[in-house]
Amino acid sequence: MEGFARALEEPVDLICQMDADFSHDPSSLPALVDAARELDVVIGSRYVTGGRVVNWPIHRIALSAFANRYIHAVLSLPLSDSTAGFRCWRREALARMPLGRIESNGYAFQIEMVWEAARHGLRIGEVPITFVERRRGQSKMSWAIVFEALALPWRLRRRAR
């Protein structure tokens, strides 16, 4: 959130977010930027045609696939990869977002942001990327993060009423 706030203070047209462990390949940025000509939010997706995941253990693939199907079922978001953290935002679109109301952390943050983007009428699309498991460091995935992500779609639906 601090990064978004700081970026919005700058005279930029696009704001990109990505994991800092190089699981998102910076060479994919031009595809996201190109798609942002027509879209307000572009998601670098592992799960659209042409996207893929490299070196992830099967339990992480299964968890991610389940999470995206679950989010789609509960929130009706027409996306393949709602949990992806590789995104490009048009500045004016991000400025319309209720950033002060975002409550989630971890993977749930990605879900809440894209849900709010959809609620605010932003044009959202996906481009294929290759996601590569980090070579250093450890995942922050925990049961607390999983439970937050399971509860969040229902909280968001209640908030919409």
Side-chain angles (χ1 to χ4, degrees), residues 45-91:
S45 176
R46 301 163 284 191
Y47 305 125
V48 295
T49 301
R52 60 192 199 115
V53 176
V54 176
N55 295 333
W56 238 10
I58 192 73
H59 72 278
R60 287 296 302 273
I61 292 170
L63 179 62
S64 180
F66 169 79
N68 279 288
R69 285 188 184 98
Y70 175 76
I71 292 158
H72 177 74
V74 176
L75 297 177
S76 300
L77 287 173
L79 299 169
S80 299
D81 202 352
S82 298
T83 61
F86 198 9
R87 298 179 179 185
C88 181
W89 297 81
R90 294 180 63 85
R91 183 194 193 290

Side-chain angles (χ1 to χ4, degrees), residues 1-9 99 109:
M1 297 309 296
E2 289 176 31
F4 284 153
R6 173 79 164 88
L8 288 170
E9 294 172 359
L99 297 179
F109 167 79

Side-chain angles (χ1 to χ4, degrees), residues 16-45:
C16 296
Q17 67 179 93
M18 62 191 300
D19 290 356
D21 63 4
F22 290 106
S23 54
H24 296 135
D25 186 348
S27 70
S28 296
L29 281 168
L32 275 73
V33 167
D34 187 50
R37 294 178 192 182
E38 304 293 326
L39 299 166
D40 297 311
V41 185
V42 182
I43 298 172
S45 176

